[in-house]
Amino acid sequence: MALLGAKTFQNYIGGERMDASSGGTFESTSPANGDSIGTFPLSKAEDVDQAVAAAEAAYEEWRLVPAPKRGEVLFRFGQLLIDQKEDLSQLMTREMGKVIAEARGDVQEAIDMAFYMGGEGRRLFGQTTPSELRDKFQMSVRTPIGVVGVITPWNFPVAIPSWKMLPALVCGNTVVFKPATDTPLLGERFVELLTEAGVPPGVVNIVHGGGGAVGEALVRHPDVRVITLTGSRETGVQVLKAAADGLKHVHLELGGKNAIIVMDDADLDLAVEGITWSAFGTSGQRCTAASRVIAHAAVYDELAAKLVRSAERMRLGVGWEDDTDVGPVINRRALEKIHSYTEIGKDEGAKLLTGGEIASGDGLSDGFYYRPTIFGDVDPEMRVAQEEIFGPTTALIRVSSVEEAVRAANGVKYGLSSSIFTRDVNKAFRAMRDLDTGITYINAGTIGAEVHLPFGGTKDTGNGHREAGQAALDVFTEWKSIYVDYSGRLQKAQIDTSS
Ligand code: NAD
């Protein structure tokens, strides 16, 4: 595969490749087997300053490029992603571990976003309304904001940058991008392809490095008007505080503790399939992962037994082998955190039904593999039912009514995704109304968002914004209301009431 070979990479600022000003570097390694993926600049605030200056300079021209032309760049980018889909997917399964079918899905999501947002170049709709005065015209238009700081996690290393950068660009903003230090090469490839698609120098810049140095410098930089971050709740709070003095626009997509409700009338086999996919796909490292299963008492035992069988059938291994169901988790720290929650669950009195151990042997010892883990008899207040574990662990909770199920589902600080399996349309509609999450699925798991609907969550999952769909445009534009008076006299709104 052309992309591997453990090369040394640089930042890309104002159309130029350059090392970090300090000369420092860090290495990206595969969580699957420890292979080196590449060496990247360990940047600092000075590098961020340079990148922001380049983005600021490029903004003056980019904002004036007609939006349909900006959209055409995204169409070309979408086509390049199609051409490179297999290479990018192979790289992804190596750099961050997800299995190859899911890696292809990750790239496909960026392709979908490129074409959706490319089309936005010919929409970016505003409103026209009648005036209360004669001979007066009025409308609202979206205007770009300026330099956008894009800070992303490693778990959707192509899809998430596309959710942020593509709407930012079509709206006429310029970007400084800081990808996660676990997936710098995918960030690099993303920017290379944008450049190949025709994004001019300075419009997209990439600065590699850690959250504390590069991320925080970006958030605090006075010339960065918008920060869009996907990450943990803790990082979101830090970013919001750091951005407060500059009164920045801050868009946060944070954690989840998503629940699947299984009612007594559910199709249990379908539910088991949905839970297995949602709880253990991407090794449970999705913000929308189902880390709780809330089951009606009448089906609890049968569901638990079927789920355990399903989890135990899953094959762990490197993601690029077609018969692998569960790849590695991202790094040693994550592996240790996931395992610590197994100990916490046991100490709290939850019953470990399967898994609960670091997997080794059969070629797994060089990577970070954790067995799919299911806890039974979980009380909704236990830490394993409240805190984001971000690994292949799910907690089974027993309830006796749909009301109790919804109460348990809502009884966490996060509000990203939720789901209910039921054949009763009344229960389904009650759940659609009452589940306090940004996304709800009926008779499907907690994952499966499409790019043309808003994506994001309530409560501590974010700060009221949404990614994707039309909602994304609100993050990357300001509204301007324009009044044109062609009466030839000074008409006064609210005062000249007789016209
Ligand atoms: P993280 O919060 O550790 O890091 C996210 C990004 O923020 C990284 O690029 C990191 O370097 C940067 N960062 C860290 N500290 C920073 C600071 N003080 N200032 C600026 N930037 C900083 O998260 P992660 O481990 O990479 O990703 C997992 C988390 O992301 C989980 O909580 C998951 O739920 C969440 N997530 C949410 C969504 C969503 O759409 N809601 C999607 C995917 C992941």
Side-chain angles (χ1 to χ4, degrees), residues 118-453:
E120 210 45 60
R122 287 192 183 268
R123 286 188 296 267
L124 286 180
F125 293 138
Q127 295 156 339
T128 59
T129 65
S131 168
E132 64 193 45
L133 295 165
R134 284 170 192 256
D135 298 333
K136 192 176 167 196
F137 172 84
Q138 53 199 37
M139 63 183 167
S140 61
V141 295
R142 290 185 183 275
T143 61
I145 307 178
V147 179
V148 176
V150 171
I151 305 176
T152 56
W154 46 266
N155 67 336
F156 279 86
V158 171
I160 290 181
S162 82
W163 298 352
K164 298 180 181 306
M165 277 190 259
L166 304 185
L169 291 173
V170 81
C171 290
N173 304 283
T174 56
V175 167
V176 178
F177 172 34
K178 189 211 92 63
T181 46
D182 284 305
T183 49
L185 186 47
L186 286 158
E188 190 66 28
R189 291 291 293 138
F190 193 93
V191 171
E192 272 174 34
L193 293 177
L194 277 174
T195 307
E196 203 177 325
V199 169
V203 171
V204 172
N205 307 275
I206 185 167
V207 183
H208 292 283
V214 177
E216 195 163 337
L218 203 47
V219 174
R220 290 192 183 278
H221 198 292
D223 296 331
V224 175
R225 294 305 316 149
V226 183
I227 288 290
T228 171
L229 165 93
T230 296
S232 65
R233 181 189 183 282
E234 293 65 33
T235 303
V237 170
Q238 282 175 30
V239 163
L240 204 51
K241 285 182 180 163
D245 285 341
L247 292 173
K248 312 253 164 120
H249 295 210
V250 180
H251 162 229
L252 302 173
E253 296 291 340
L254 309 175
K257 189 69 189 175
N258 314 290
I260 293 180
I261 296 172
V262 183
M263 293 311 299
D264 47 351
D265 57 20
D267 175 340
L268 277 198
D269 290 327
L270 181 64
V272 168
E273 233 185 295
I275 295 165
T276 305
W277 172 232
S278 304
F280 306 128
T282 324
S283 309
Q285 303 167 110
R286 286 180 181 238
C287 50
T288 50
S291 51
R292 296 180 297 154
V293 176
I294 301 173
H296 192 281
V299 292
Y300 179 96
D301 289 335
E302 190 183 346
L303 181 73
K306 286 184 173 209
L307 271 178
V308 166
R309 273 203 299 280
S310 171
E312 289 178 351
R313 269 201 301 267
M314 299 189 94
R315 185 181 167 274
L316 270 70
V318 295
W320 54 89
E321 285 174 2
D322 277 334
D323 58 348
T324 297
D325 299 305
V326 182
V329 299
I330 190 66
N331 53 35
R332 180 165 305 284
R333 199 155 29 90
L335 192 68
E336 285 165 3
K337 176 181 169 192
I338 293 161
H339 191 59
S340 77
Y341 272 98
T342 296
E343 298 303 324
I344 289 168
K346 286 198 275 192
D347 289 349
E348 287 177 308
K351 191 165 160 199
L352 183 62
L353 301 180
T354 187
E357 57 182 17
I358 293 170
S360 54
D362 294 341
L364 301 179
S365 305
D366 294 335
F368 308 117
Y369 296 88
Y370 204 76
R371 296 241 172 254
T373 299
I374 303 175
F375 274 111
D377 295 338
V378 175
D379 183 282
E381 296 307 317
M382 287 178 180
R383 287 183 63 192
V384 285
Q386 288 287 326
E387 297 172 18
E388 187 180 47
I389 300 171
F390 223 58
T393 301
T394 199
L396 279 174
I397 296 166
R398 192 190 312 252
V399 292
S400 47
S401 67
V402 71
E403 289 78 16
E404 190 185 349
V406 169
R407 235 185 351 265
N410 287 344
V412 293
K413 63 184 170 202
Y414 298 109
L416 184 51
S417 185
S418 58
S419 134
I420 184 167
F421 282 86
T422 178
R423 291 182 172 111
D424 180 336
V425 69
N426 296 350
K427 290 190 180 113
F429 269 86
R430 215 163 279 152
M432 283 188 254
R433 182 191 61 195
D434 294 339
L435 285 169
D436 189 0
T437 53
I439 307 167
T440 292
Y441 295 89
I442 309 299
N443 292 324
T446 47
I447 60 188
E450 300 181 29
V451 301
H452 40 297
L453 280 183

